[in-house]
Amino acid sequence: MHALKSVDPEIYNLLLQESCYQLESIRLIPSENYCSKAVLEASGSIFTNKYSEGYPGRRYYEGQRYIDQLETLVCQRACALFGAEHANVQPYSGSPANLAVYLALLKPGDAIMGLSLPHGGHLTHGWDVSVTGRFWRAVRYTVDRESGRIDYDAVRDLAKKEKPQIIVAGATAYPRTLDFKAFGEIAREVGAYFLADIAHIAGLIVGGVHPSPIPYADVVTTTTHKTLRGPRGAMIMCRAALAEQIDRAVFPGLQGGPHNHTTAAIGVALKEASTPAFRDYARQVVINAKVLAEELLARGFNLVSGGTDNHLILVDLSNKSVTGKQAAKALDRAGIVCNYNTVPYDPRKPFNPSGIRLGSPAVTSRGMGPSEMRQIASWIDEVISHIDDEARIAKVAHEVREMCRQFPAPGILLEDFEDSRPSTQSQINR
Ligand SMILES: *Cc1c(COP(=O)(O)O)cnc(C)c1O
């Protein structure tokens, strides 16, 4: 980091502080992870210097001899890993990837049927503040009030009534396995395209612990930076028959030049994700989430749907006399980072809802296991039960830092920095 330090000490210092923060906190945001040093090296590489609008062999710029090989290789890896017929690795992130799919397959005013945002769906599945809810008609299915799970008969009934042009399955806050086969059948019954948005669970799918949407889905979108543990980016995979439409929607429909440094880093992440070690990782993510869920249940916490099948847990705090926001802020002061979240049928407003969302992907990447999950559940309970006791929260923060010291974080080496501590150490964990 010598160059960065001498050119821009302010950014350098923020990077150092953020590195310490990521090392010394327990990161439970289920969409976050630690990518490897190899991914970071590819992501921070001179591939960023190249413009390459178009696709391999069909570029609008000369000088693509290595970039074409790079993108071709990464697309091949994506197809092989997911069993897809076609892959586009150019979308800048998950939201533009979904937008590209709608641009490819829908006309303005067509209907997008997705899981309602407060029930765990994503903004880009037709929520009204998103462009996807403005250019297209949104049809929203919900989870069942009692079970907290998707009721596939209700989804079918709604689809038959509303006749959407596309049905989206995928979520940001759904703790249960998605039945992609059922969604595929429903889509076929009503003549809709079926989009599986696997942003959160891509790593679980390639790790063999969540069923794959392929071959049921016409199109699959995913981010690459969540459980897949790659750089910030996205991919679209689809049936060969839709390849041309999808590619044209990404470029020139929506984007200009691809981020080649990201493409390279996605390639590295896909290679890592094809190893037995990654399968072990995915299995451990699910085990850890289950242990954390059981330990919270044992301490009187209510979990949406009663538990988890995947990497995330949605805690409904309405029986705890704290709001999601109060809990998330107090936990952050204790070095436990999560986010407040609506729970299905939440009587509170989204800016201060009843729930918090927890996930195991990042802590599992550090090698934490069931005994650490038990400890984390106990700290969460301690903080939420003593939400106004700053001394108690500071004590937990100290214990959290002690535990984190025992678990190196992939990709973060303080030796990379000349001075191993930031100048504003006291700000860490604030
Ligand atoms: C995270 C996520 C996205 C959006 O990804 P960004 O990279 O934040 O734009 C889309 N869909 C789902 C289901 C997600 O979880």
Side-chain angles (χ1 to χ4, degrees), residues 93-96 98 122 124-125 170-172 197 199-200 223 225-226 232-233:
S93 211
S95 301
N98 286 345
H122 191 259
T124 56
H125 300 172
T172 64
D197 176 353
H200 260 260
T223 55
H225 48 272
K226 297 180 184 174
R232 303 201 80 81

Side-chain angles (χ1 to χ4, degrees), residues 200-248:
H200 260 260
I201 55 174
L204 304 185
I205 290 169
V206 300
V209 291
H210 189 293
S212 172
I214 293 170
Y216 310 112
D218 300 299
V219 186
V220 176
T221 55
T222 184
T223 55
T224 48
H225 48 272
K226 297 180 184 174
T227 52
L228 200 55
R229 225 161 53 173
R232 303 201 80 81
M235 311 193 292
I236 305 176
M237 291 167 282
C238 65
R239 300 191 193 285
L242 298 174
E244 212 182 303
Q245 274 164 277
I246 293 289
D247 285 353
R248 252 189 289 123

